[in-house]
Every structure is written in structure tokens, then in C-alpha cells.
Amino acid sequence: MAQTESNLDHDVSWFLLPSYWAKMVVALISFLCFANSYDGDFVFDDSEAIINNKDLRAETPLGDLWHHDFWGSKLSSNTSHKSYRPLTVLTFRINYLFAGGFYPVGFHVINIILHCTISVLMVDVFSILLGGLQFSNKGRRLNLAPKTSLLAALLFAVHPVHTECVAGIVGRADLLCALFFLLSFLGYCKAFRENKEGHHFSIFWVLVSVILGAIAMLCKEQGITILGLNAVFDALVINKLNVLELIQKLLHKDKSLEAVNYNYYYSLNAWLLLCPWWLCFDWSMGCIPLIKSVSDWRIIALAALWFCLIGLICQALCSEDSHKRRILTLGLGFLIIPFLPASNLFFRVGFVIAERVIYLPSIGYCILFTYGFSLLSKQAKKKKILTVAVLGILLINVMRCALRSSQWRSEEQLFRSALSVCPLNAKVHYNVGKNLADKGNQSAAIKYYREAVRLNPKYVHAMNNLGNILKERNELQEAEELLSLAVQIQPDFAAAWMNLGIVQNSLRRFEEAEQSYWTAIKHRKKYPDCYYNLGRLYADLNRHIDALNAWRNATVLKPEHSLAWNNMIILLDNTGNLAQAEAVGREALELIPNDHSLMFSLANVLGKSQKYKESEALFLKAIKANPNAASYHGNLAVLYHRWGNLDLAKKHYEVSLKLDPMAPGTKENYNLLRRKLEQLQKKSGA
């Protein structure tokens, strides 16, 4: 498809490499940028999308992936996020299968490979967007812009805003979407390949392009925008149309403050592309204060954004240079169209800014940057200085990518890195606090949870977690106040109702605790932990039948609920129902065969039933699994004591006392055994 246009490479002082070497360089540099993320942990959203997602496990039928959202919830559920990405989840499942579990290295390696592959494809994509679509007599596509296509591909490969997509495993949705998005575009270009007889239109490649576009959409919803971009490409490059009607839509004015804020968010997204220095894993909850008055100085950012966009659009539509019109329109098309699903223009999305959604729009930024560089090169007298400046930008971006990738290696580094970027973001403080609490640093966690609640007085999850810590520290009055406020703000917050019940139980306000537990179950019918705590309440009230029923409900809903099984065994044991306790213990061990606490509880029951041999085997198995449990050794010693194996009894009493000198009853039993052994020695000596 011959197009006689000005050559963008002509005035550019840049490296000219054969196509193969250009792609190798891009692949190597893109790999170097993010290589240090390969051994990072599962962080942030990875927990919900991967670790807690049952769709990754072998026992979940593959067919369920097509009926569930990205997070593993049924699409029909009211709680579903409605993000439909079954092919991305399928790749997670394959990762899990080959790794034999949740080992993050394999997940990270795939993400790095995907970004490298996409960056290599960008060499071909940019050669078309910047140099035009032209074929040789043999039907091979020609690269008419080898220098600028290499520069643009490098800009894309090293852009720090891509770190979230590459270093965050959940970003695979964006990577897979981008991969098939680009393949669809390249496939569409192949449909217009010339042959010796002239123009050749291939229905086959159009169908391939449509199928690849559909695959992109099944990886992430944003993939559907390839249809719009292919249409723009067809109009501008294939049919050489000049599209003017876009101006009215882009210049549409909305005087509401909501529209002002959305426009400000667009300007921040643009700033992240231009200067990706301040990056954050989450931009919600006060990170960006709302514009509440037209006197707010940030209105300047909106004006700057629209001034630049309108200027570029005017040039794209009105320039007499057809080459300039085509490149600018394609650049704006790749910048704007893939961003539309996240723009809040057509429907509300769950965020205002997210770095991962800029992955595809950054293609447009790279086109515009490279075109601007070519124009400057044309005017510049000292082109080498300009080249050095661009090399400097690339080098800074490589270093920024490496630094940002290292921050994504662990949740602690990721969350703390956001404190300086978004100090007003309650969610950032919440996540830092949660990470500290998970590591056992409750005092520091309290500080961050309190700050999260201060920044967002209606942040019920922060209240719930803070209330939990205060409950564990026996600061029950404040814990109750926080949890009561949380359920007042969000009456269907089941976890807060359950935790409120636990606090009320500790305060011995049993009726209120029971009511809180049942309210939690009302809002979350399948809530095994709540049934477990309800059972504990009934046990404290000596309502044994109710306690057993509550714990049975917990195990029905969650068969691996070890605590509920254990409490049933212990209650039945303590009430003298040894046969029933034994039956429950055996049932539990069939479901959770490697749980040493269940082995221990059942061994106690069997010992009381004088089934010494079987009891001994279970005690020894439990000790093998947990050799430092003093009670395991102590109770085994009691078994041997009853059984008459006094030497073994003495040995395990001594191990138990060594592990826990204050173990209740063990010292007394040990002293009894020693006296008995002394008496036996005296008799044998006599």
C-alpha cells in the first residue's frame, strides 16, 4: 500500500539498527528494568485475586471460570466486582498448577516475559504508526521509520508507570490484554497486504484480528477498544479520511464540579505519563482532594491539559501535512481510546486514577513524544545534545523502573513508599497498619489505624481492625465503641458485628453478644467463624447442645475449621461423651489428616477409653508434627503413667517440664511418678 510521505527518520539523530537487533535491544532493556521484581512476594490485590481465589485450585471445575469474576465471585452475586477476565484467571491457574502451590516467582517471571514480548511487538507497531503501512513487491511490510520506531519502543519499554502492571501480579490482566490488543492490530494491518496483482484484502486476517480482539477483551475489558482503534486506523491510513466530528465531543463543556474533578484526574493521568516520579499503589480515599471551588489553583492543570489536547487535535485535523495529521491522530487515538473505559464518562468505575490502566494509552504518549523529538531534531542545530537528553530520559526511567520494582517486592516497601506520595490517603495508612499487625507489631499498627480513621472518619474496615487489636490488648471499652460505630455506619458489615459480639462476650454481656452474632450471620449466611464464636458463647453459658450445633454448622460451612472440630471433641470429652467424642475426632481427622491439634484431642479421648496403643500412636504423630508443645509430651506421659510404662512416662514428663516449667499439673504428676519409682526401687532392693 504505497504512501509517499515525509520520512520521520530523516532528521532524527538516533541509532539505526537492523530490525532483529532493535528488538533484541528493546527486549534486553525492558528485562533489565523489571528483572529485580522476579522474587517479590504476593502484594496488595494479589492476595484476593490469587491466594484467596478458589478458581485457581484444581478442585474448582474449569467451567466455573466462565461464570465467575476476576476475584472468584459469581457474576450473579450482588457482591461481585463484575470484572470479567476468565483468560487471565486461567493463566494464574496454570501458574499455580505448574508451581505446585502459591509460589510467587513463577507468577512474576511470566509478567516480566509478557512485558518484554509486548515491548518487542511495539517495534513493529510503532514502525506502522510512525512510518505508515507500506509493502514491498513481495508483500513484505517495510519499516520506513526504523530509528523513531526503536526510540518509541524504548520509551514504552522503560516507562516507570508500567511498574504496577509488571511487578504486581494482578497487572497480568493489563499485560495479556495489551499483548492480544497489539496482535489484533498487527493482524488487521496484515489484511491490507499488497501482492503482485495490486491491493489484496484478506478476510482471513480480519477474522484473526477480531478473534484476537475478543481474546484481549476476555483478559481485560479494556481490550474491546481495539475495535475503535482499528476503525480509526482504517479511516486514516487505509481510506485516508479526515475525521472532524471528534472536535465537538472533545470540546463539550460541563460546568458541574464533578466534571471539573474528572478533568483534573485526566490531567493527573497525563502528568504520570510525562513525569512518572510520584507513583502510588492506590490513589483513592483522599489521596487527591476534590476541587470544591473554581478558585482552586489546580484548575490550571485542567486548562493546561485541554490547551495541549485542543492544540494537538487542531493540528491533527487541520494541518495541511497529511503525514503530520496521520501521526498525531493515531497518537491521540492510542492515547484516548484505550483510556475511555476507565474515564468514568460512560459508566462509573471503582477508581479515579490507577497506573495500570495507562499501560495501553502510554503507546499514544510514546508516539507523540517521538514525533515531537523528530520535529525538534529537524530544527536543532546541535542534534547530538538533543540525542543525549533523550538518552538521559531513558536512563532515568530505567533507574526509576528498577527502584519502583524493588518497592513492589514486598507489601511493607510498597505501602510505605506511598506514605510520601499520598499522605492524606486513609487506605495507605490502613494498609501500612495491616501489614504491621500481620507481623505482630500491634503498637505501631494502632498508630496507622488511628490515622486512617482520622483521615476518613467513616472508614469502617480501619475501625474493625483497630477494634480487633484493642480487643486482643483487653482495651474492651474503646474496642466496643469503634465496632459499634462501624456497624452504625455500615449496618451490613458482618465481620464488625461478629467482632462486636466477641467484645461483648468478653464484657460478659452475653445476650447482646448473642444478638450481634446472629446479626452477623443474617448479613453473611455462610459465616463459619461466626458460628464458631457463637458456639464458644453457648459453651460459656453451659448451653452444650447449642454450642455443639453452632460448631457443627461451622464445620459444615468450612470442613477444615480445625478449631470448631477441636472444641466439639473437647466439650464431648469433658461431658463424659467419650464414644461421641471419638466419632467426631475420627470424622475430623478424615477431613484434616495432618492437623496435630486434632490428633492430640482424639488421643486424649482414646486414652480415657483405655485404647492405649492407638492413643500412643496419635500422641507420637502429634509430637512429630509439633515437637515443642509441652502439653503433648505431658499428656503422653500421663498415658504412659496409666498404662504402666513408667520409664517412658518419666521421660516425657521431663521433656514437658523442660519446655514449660509451669505446665499445670505436670509437676505434680511427675513428683507422684518419682515417688512411685522410688518405692518400686526400695521394694526391689529389699
Side-chain angles (χ1 to χ4, degrees):
M1 190 164 292
Q3 293 177 3
T4 55
E5 296 175 332
S6 59
N7 191 326
L8 206 63
D9 278 18
H10 185 266
D11 298 300
V12 172
S13 176
W14 195 249
F15 306 100
L16 179 61
L17 298 175
S19 178
Y20 175 81
W21 283 107
K23 292 176 180 178
M24 288 291 289
V25 168
V26 170
L28 178 61
I29 292 178
S30 62
F31 174 77
L32 291 175
C33 285
F34 302 104
N36 65 344
S37 69
Y38 87 96
D39 60 348
D41 297 330
F42 291 113
V43 298
F44 196 37
D45 287 339
D46 296 344
S47 296
E48 289 302 314
I50 298 171
I51 297 174
N52 298 331
N53 192 340
K54 292 183 179 179
D55 286 346
L56 270 66
R57 303 177 190 273
E59 57 266 25
T60 303
L62 273 174
D64 285 5
L65 271 62
W66 304 96
H67 304 287
H68 292 175
D69 66 16
F70 184 55
W71 312 93
S73 301
K74 288 184 178 179
L75 285 167
S76 57
S77 170
N78 291 331
T79 60
S80 170
H81 193 269
K82 308 300 182 188
S83 47
Y84 189 60
R85 304 164 191 174
L87 294 184
T88 302
V89 178
L90 180 60
T91 67
F92 290 153
R93 182 164 173 151
I94 293 169
N95 258 133
Y96 174 80
L97 178 67
F98 279 101
F102 292 113
Y103 302 103
V105 172
F107 290 84
H108 282 295
V109 168
I110 294 297
N111 274 27
I112 295 169
I113 291 172
L114 282 170
H115 177 67
C116 293
T117 304
I118 292 163
S119 300
V120 168
L121 283 177
M122 292 310 307
V123 176
D124 289 329
V125 171
F126 284 129
S127 73
I128 295 170
L129 297 175
L130 296 170
L133 186 63
Q134 190 167 346
F135 296 92
S136 68
N137 292 333
K138 295 182 178 180
R140 290 191 64 180
R141 186 180 58 78
L142 301 174
N143 184 354
L144 300 179
K147 294 181 184 178
T148 49
S149 62
L150 172 59
L151 171 59
L154 287 171
L155 284 168
F156 178 87
V158 305
H159 205 297
V161 84
H162 297 159
T163 310
E164 181 175 350
C165 288
V166 184
I169 298 170
V170 167
R172 183 172 306 174
D174 299 271
L175 296 172
L176 286 170
C177 175
L179 175 65
F180 290 104
F181 183 100
L182 297 175
L183 290 173
S184 175
F185 174 75
L186 293 172
Y188 193 72
C189 292
K190 278 184 175 287
F192 301 96
R193 182 173 51 193
E194 282 185 348
N195 58 19
K196 293 179 181 178
E197 289 76 30
H199 298 307
H200 174 68
F201 178 76
S202 171
I203 294 291
F204 170 77
W205 281 108
V206 171
L207 289 174
V208 168
S209 175
V210 170
I211 291 169
L212 290 168
I215 293 172
M217 186 175 65
L218 291 173
C219 294
K220 190 176 181 182
E221 304 81 358
Q222 197 178 17
I224 197 172
T225 59
I226 187 59
L227 300 176
L229 275 169
N230 281 344
V232 170
F233 181 80
D234 189 289
L236 295 175
V237 178
I238 308 303
N239 294 301
K240 301 182 182 177
L241 296 178
N242 195 349
V243 184
L244 295 173
E245 62 269 18
L246 220 56
I247 290 181
Q248 187 176 2
K249 176 70 176 176
L250 292 172
L251 296 183
H252 174 70
K253 294 180 181 177
D254 188 334
K255 301 192 184 227
S256 71
L257 281 174
E258 182 179 15
V260 169
N261 278 298
Y262 280 137
N263 278 272
Y264 179 59
Y265 300 147
Y266 303 155
S267 66
L268 287 178
N269 278 285
W271 183 249
L272 287 177
L273 288 172
L274 289 168
C275 185
W277 201 253
W278 295 278
L279 300 175
C280 184
F281 72 93
D282 188 278
W283 293 85
S284 63
M285 287 200 181
C287 191
I288 305 163
L290 293 174
I291 294 176
K292 297 180 179 178
S293 166
V294 291
S295 62
D296 194 312
W297 67 269
R298 290 175 295 167
I299 295 287
I300 297 170
L302 278 68
L305 171 69
W306 284 105
F307 177 80
C308 294
L309 275 179
I310 291 168
L312 287 169
I313 290 167
C314 289
Q315 288 291 312
L317 297 172
C318 306
S319 174
E320 294 181 1
D321 185 346
S322 62
H323 185 57
K324 183 178 185 180
R325 284 203 312 269
R326 178 178 62 76
I327 290 178
L328 289 179
T329 307
L330 287 172
L332 287 168
F334 270 89
L335 183 69
I336 295 169
I337 294 175
F339 182 73
L340 289 177
S343 67
N344 288 283
L345 283 176
F346 306 110
F347 45 81
R348 289 187 181 274
V349 294
F351 52 84
V352 290
I353 294 180
E355 292 157 23
R356 60 185 177 275
V357 303
I358 314 177
Y359 194 82
L360 277 171
S362 66
I363 297 173
Y365 158 78
C366 294
I367 294 171
L368 296 175
F369 183 100
T370 304
Y371 185 67
F373 174 67
S374 72
L375 293 180
L376 285 174
S377 296
K378 195 172 184 179
Q379 302 296 325
K381 293 181 179 179
K382 297 182 178 180
K383 296 181 182 180
K384 287 186 177 179
I385 295 176
L386 199 59
T387 303
V388 169
V390 173
L391 281 171
I393 292 172
L394 290 174
L395 182 60
I396 290 170
N397 280 358
V398 169
M399 292 189 294
R400 179 64 178 132
C401 284
L403 174 63
R404 187 63 179 153
S405 291
S406 68
Q407 291 171 344
W408 271 87
R409 284 162 55 90
S410 71
E411 287 194 333
E412 181 180 5
Q413 294 179 77
L414 178 65
F415 296 155
R416 287 189 178 278
S417 71
L419 287 172
S420 59
V421 179
C422 287
L424 300 179
N425 187 336
K427 196 171 181 179
V428 168
H429 291 274
Y430 167 83
N431 279 291
V432 173
K434 187 174 183 299
N435 182 257
L436 288 166
D438 290 343
K439 292 181 175 180
N441 191 347
Q442 291 189 339
S443 299
I446 287 173
K447 170 190 167 187
Y448 286 100
Y449 280 141
R450 289 195 191 281
E451 181 65 8
V453 174
R454 187 190 71 79
L455 291 169
N456 184 356
K458 294 186 177 181
Y459 198 174
V460 293
H461 291 283
M463 293 175 190
N464 179 59
N465 286 18
L466 178 56
N468 262 340
I469 291 180
L470 294 173
K471 172 193 71 183
E472 291 173 12
R473 293 162 70 96
N474 209 34
E475 298 177 33
L476 300 177
Q477 293 298 334
E478 187 181 359
E480 184 182 22
E481 290 172 12
L482 283 164
L483 293 166
S484 297
L485 181 58
V487 297
Q488 184 181 338
I489 295 169
Q490 187 178 324
D492 63 347
F493 191 4
W497 277 113
M498 182 189 75
N499 291 322
L500 179 60
I502 295 171
V503 171
Q504 290 165 336
N505 191 8
S506 300
L507 291 167
R508 305 190 68 78
R509 299 215 303 273
F510 299 123
E511 288 186 11
E512 292 176 49
E514 182 180 10
Q515 185 61 43
S516 294
Y517 287 141
W518 282 116
T519 305
I521 292 167
K522 171 188 169 185
H523 293 300
R524 191 193 296 178
K525 290 180 173 54
K526 296 181 179 180
Y527 204 172
D529 287 344
C530 195
Y531 276 112
Y532 165 73
N533 285 299
L534 180 62
R536 290 183 62 192
L537 168 66
Y538 288 146
D540 290 342
L541 296 173
N542 292 321
R543 292 166 59 178
H544 295 159
I545 301 299
D546 290 334
L548 290 170
N549 287 336
W551 289 328
R552 176 58 72 175
N553 283 333
T555 59
V556 168
L557 293 170
K558 187 180 178 182
E560 66 276 14
H561 204 303
S562 173
L563 291 172
W565 285 113
N566 248 319
N567 280 18
M568 277 195 283
I569 299 167
I570 293 167
L571 179 58
L572 290 167
D573 180 3
N574 291 341
T575 54
N577 296 302
L578 296 181
Q580 195 176 349
E582 181 181 339
V584 171
R586 293 187 188 281
E587 182 184 356
L589 276 177
E590 282 184 15
L591 293 166
I592 324 172
N594 297 318
D595 191 304
H596 55 80
S597 63
L598 289 176
M599 298 173 197
F600 173 70
S601 297
L602 180 55
N604 286 326
V605 173
L606 292 169
K608 290 178 183 178
S609 301
Q610 298 184 350
K611 298 180 180 179
Y612 297 135
K613 197 68 180 174
E614 193 175 358
S615 175
E616 177 195 29
L618 279 173
F619 272 130
L620 291 172
K621 196 173 179 183
I623 287 170
K624 185 178 180 181
N626 188 13
N628 295 322
S631 59
Y632 290 11
H633 290 279
N635 283 30
L636 176 57
V638 171
L639 176 74
Y640 285 136
H641 200 156
R642 286 180 188 161
W643 199 358
N645 293 338
L646 302 185
D647 290 335
L648 286 173
K650 181 174 180 291
K651 171 189 171 184
H652 284 281
Y653 276 138
E654 289 172 349
V655 173
S656 179
L657 288 169
K658 185 177 180 182
L659 291 168
D660 182 7
M662 306 302 293
T666 304
K667 196 165 187 178
E668 291 79 359
N669 288 335
Y670 179 58
N671 288 333
L672 286 171
L673 176 64
R674 285 182 63 185
R675 284 197 292 271
K676 188 172 183 179
L677 286 170
E678 287 170 3
Q679 289 171 1
L680 289 172
Q681 284 177 351
K682 286 179 181 178
K683 285 182 182 179
S684 63

